[in-house]
Amino acid sequence: MTQTVISSASREVVIGFETPFTVIGERINPTGRALLAEELKAGDFSCVEADALAQVAAGATMLDVNVGVPLTDEAALMAQAVTLLQSLTDVPLAIDSSVPEALEAGLEAYRGKALLNSVTGEEERLEMVLPLVRKHGAAVVAICNDDTGISPDIDVRFEVARKIIERAADHGIPASDVVVDPLAMPVGAMPGAGVQALELIHRLRTELKVNTTCGASNVSFGLPNRAGLNPTFLAMAIGAGLTSAITNPLEPTLMQAVRGADVIMDHDAQCQAWIRAHRAPAARDGRRRGRRRSRG
Amino acid sequence: MTEEYDDIILADLSDEELIEQMYDDLYDGLADEVAEGTQILLDRGWEAKRILDEVLVAGMTIVGVDFRDGILFVPEVLMAANSMKAGMELLRPILADTGAKPIGKMVIGTVKGDIHDIGKNLVGMMMEGAGFEVVDLGINVEAETFAAALIEHRPDILGMSALLTTTMPYMQVVIDTLTERGLRDDFTVLVGGAPLNEEFSQAIGADAYCRDAAVAVETARRFVEGTA
């Protein structure tokens, strides 16, 4: 079964078909967050620090790092952010940028095996990003669009994924180090986008046998109660075969959906994580105070 | 489903009642009803331009305000825009014959290197809803293509969209191209997209940054009315 191993200096995370779902915290991203953008521009990382710690505490097992602020030196910011985050937490990082120099700077500063976010099927991107992935022994997120755009036809998106995986192989990158993003488009603006994403996830898993990830909050764009819709999509996507998501672990309903899906998918042995998270508080003060030593 | 109310016969309504009903039908995205109402007004001798301004655009303005205020959501706005289109199809040939001018014209596109178009399409639809004529150049649009379209269509507004930090600097390339050709001051340049902000818009010499589709429409209106 396919496993994508991502690591920091001291910790490994396995994205895989038989392991608990991987939540990659999305909060360290200045898009749509004016305060974070202002801080980053001024070289102030206090918000980044707080976001990192809060997301890890909430259950993120990886963190996505995007420091794309207009009119800044994104490469320098990325290197600083990566170094800082690795001194704060041992969860592995996804280095996220559309600027190749920033990806490279992030990889150079990184200790461990990073997830590079991302490459697309666009010719220029493939030849810019894949050599970086190979050089640094990283894994990479592959987004299912190419030079012609994001196809509404999932057969086309499937073929883009296949092309990226083949091209990665040409560069010496195994398919197990390619995590495909099927692109979950907004259902409010594109009727059918939800069920299409589910179908594509299923095909990626059963036919290409790759790990998958997606930005799960895009689905609810333009709709009310997004915090209600996103967990629903995520649970269904996990059922279809999704193995990780770049999403917001600070949303309690979302983490609950992930934990619940782990139980249903049999990725939570004896439901232990679920029980730990939901045992009635009174029971904690009862008899089960600590582990009993075995006799003998 | 049981009907609780008798069907409203649009043709039995006075002009005033009919217009109120058409505002509701636009709001509810009822394309057939909007088309029917439009035809009735034409049959009653209303000028196409007057129907467009006082009924369809006025109705879509209500939709736009409620979208801006978070009362209506994207699928509802798309349905409303579609129902307006149903009315417009009846009016368009007449408007063309009589040489009636739209309130403004916009050329819009997603810049080179960028393939995101949901936001751009939403802006285009809302602008049409506001009575603008919209020329959509699609995605991955080169500066040369923008320049050629501006010369050909002579719009009031150029709208550019970008969703990536790598592609948004291309807006600067487009604006510089226009400046070199001495075209820059002929158009109002509006920019939008998730990674942008006001500061970036100023830095590249655009006229305004528009946070969302509703703001884009309001901003475009202010510019063509000369109140910006």
Side-chain angles (χ1 to χ4, degrees):
Chain A
M1 281 294 127
T2 303
Q3 294 198 328
T4 306
V5 180
I6 315 288
S7 64
S8 64
S10 57
R11 184 159 156 188
E12 253 182 31
V13 167
V14 177
I15 304 174
F17 295 180
E18 305 300 332
T19 50
F21 190 75
T22 303
V23 172
I24 307 169
E26 72 178 3
R27 295 285 294 161
I28 303 173
N29 188 329
T31 304
R33 295 183 68 194
L35 181 65
L36 178 57
E38 280 304 309
E39 280 192 13
L40 284 172
K41 205 166 178 195
D44 173 358
F45 290 86
S46 28
C47 204
V48 171
E49 281 186 28
D51 279 340
L53 297 175
Q55 290 184 102
V56 172
T61 49
M62 287 185 59
L63 295 176
D64 187 82
V65 190
N66 180 313
V67 290
V69 182
L71 317 171
T72 59
D73 181 353
E74 197 179 327
L77 277 180
M78 180 62 90
Q80 281 178 275
V82 164
T83 305
L84 172 74
L85 287 167
Q86 290 209 293
S87 72
L88 277 179
T89 166
D90 64 353
V91 303
L93 304 180
I95 296 168
D96 177 3
S97 176
S98 42
V99 179
E101 294 74 25
L103 291 175
E104 183 153 28
L107 284 171
E108 268 161 20
Y110 191 76
R111 290 174 301 144
K113 177 180 170 187
L115 179 62
L116 206 62
N117 188 6
S118 58
V119 70
T120 67
E122 293 160 278
E123 218 32 63
E124 204 186 346
R125 303 285 305 171
L126 284 166
E127 292 312 314
M128 259 179 336
V129 177
L130 292 179
L132 282 178
V133 175
R134 171 65 177 164
K135 181 177 164 199
H136 293 270
V140 66
V141 174
I143 301 185
C144 290
N145 73 272
D146 62 11
D147 298 279
T148 61
I150 300 171
S151 175
D153 180 348
I154 60 165
D155 291 340
V156 174
R157 277 194 252 163
F158 181 84
E159 289 308 324
V160 174
R162 190 204 299 272
K163 178 178 95 174
I164 300 173
I165 291 163
E166 286 171 0
R167 194 67 69 85
D170 293 346
H171 284 268
I173 302 159
S176 59
D177 277 338
V178 181
V179 180
V180 177
D181 182 343
L183 287 166
M185 305 302 284
V187 290
M190 296 176 64
V195 69
Q196 282 165 5
L198 297 179
E199 253 182 78
L200 184 51
I201 288 165
H202 182 70
R203 289 192 59 193
L204 290 167
R205 167 126 172 192
T206 52
E207 296 175 42
L208 295 182
K209 301 184 171 55
V210 286
N211 278 309
T212 43
T213 196
C214 73
S217 9
N218 200 24
V219 161
S220 61
F221 166 81
L223 294 174
N225 188 15
R226 298 183 68 173
L229 201 52
N230 295 340
T232 305
F233 170 73
L234 199 55
M236 294 177 77
I238 294 170
L242 189 72
T243 50
S244 70
I246 300 170
T247 189
N248 183 3
L250 305 182
E251 292 280 354
T253 52
L254 194 110
M255 286 310 282
Q256 176 163 307
V258 168
R259 301 287 183 240
D262 277 340
V263 172
I264 305 301
M265 299 296 282
D266 194 22
H267 295 158
D268 180 2
Q270 285 79 46
C271 312
Q272 285 184 353
W274 183 263
I275 293 170
R276 254 199 321 276
H278 299 289
R279 197 193 302 283
R284 281 192 206 121
D285 301 326
R287 292 167 57 95
R288 302 176 56 98
R289 207 162 279 170
R291 179 191 292 184
R292 289 196 206 177
R293 294 186 186 281
S294 61
R295 290 177 199 177
Chain B
M1 224 171 79
T2 52
E3 284 292 328
E4 283 183 46
Y5 304 100
D6 289 336
D7 267 352
I8 296 165
I9 309 296
L10 293 179
D12 292 349
L13 302 178
S14 70
D15 284 5
E16 205 172 298
E17 290 166 335
L18 177 59
I19 291 162
E20 282 300 322
Q21 185 58 46
M22 286 177 71
Y23 290 163
D24 286 352
D25 290 347
L26 271 167
Y27 196 91
D28 294 335
L30 302 173
D32 291 347
E33 285 76 358
V34 171
E36 188 188 341
T38 304
Q39 189 59 53
I40 292 169
L41 288 174
L42 284 170
D43 294 343
R44 289 182 190 172
W46 277 52
E47 277 179 21
K49 176 73 177 146
R50 187 174 165 213
I51 300 174
L52 176 64
D53 292 345
E54 294 179 21
V55 185
L56 299 185
V57 170
M60 283 302 289
T61 304
I62 302 169
V63 171
V65 167
D66 278 5
F67 177 51
R68 183 198 64 199
D69 294 345
I71 296 165
L72 285 180
F73 292 90
V74 166
E76 297 169 311
V77 173
L78 296 181
M79 281 172 65
N82 252 339
S83 65
M84 173 177 181
K85 238 179 214 167
M88 265 307 279
E89 267 160 34
L90 298 170
L91 300 182
R92 194 171 289 121
I94 308 170
L95 290 169
D97 284 350
T98 53
K101 293 257 180 293
I103 79 161
K105 201 168 175 182
M106 177 187 219
V107 163
I108 191 170
T110 302
V111 298
K112 187 184 169 189
D114 204 317
I115 46 93
H116 296 87
D117 65 358
I118 289 175
K120 184 261 299 166
N121 293 348
L122 200 57
V123 171
M125 254 177 277
M126 297 277 292
M127 292 292 292
E128 282 178 351
F132 281 80
E133 186 184 336
V134 176
V135 180
D136 187 347
L137 305 179
I139 58 170
N140 201 9
V141 180
E142 307 241 2
E144 284 305 319
T145 315
F146 274 117
L150 292 172
I151 291 164
E152 182 189 345
H153 299 286
R154 288 276 146 200
D156 307 279
I157 311 248
L158 166 64
M160 290 190 282
S161 170
L163 268 285
L164 300 172
T165 47
T166 34
T167 54
M168 60 189 210
Y170 195 77
M171 294 174 166
Q172 176 87 72
V173 177
V174 178
I175 290 174
D176 289 348
T177 304
L178 299 184
T179 307
E180 281 162 25
R181 310 264 171 97
L183 293 167
R184 171 64 188 89
D185 297 335
D186 299 353
F187 313 103
T188 297
V189 179
L190 305 183
V191 292
L196 276 71
N197 56 31
E198 188 60 54
E199 193 187 0
F200 175 79
S201 152
Q202 282 172 15
I204 61 166
D207 291 299
Y209 158 70
C210 304
R211 181 165 41 82
D212 60 33
V215 171
V217 169
E218 285 173 9
T219 310
R221 264 216 188 108
R222 285 206 312 275
F223 274 102
V224 296
E225 287 163 3
T227 55

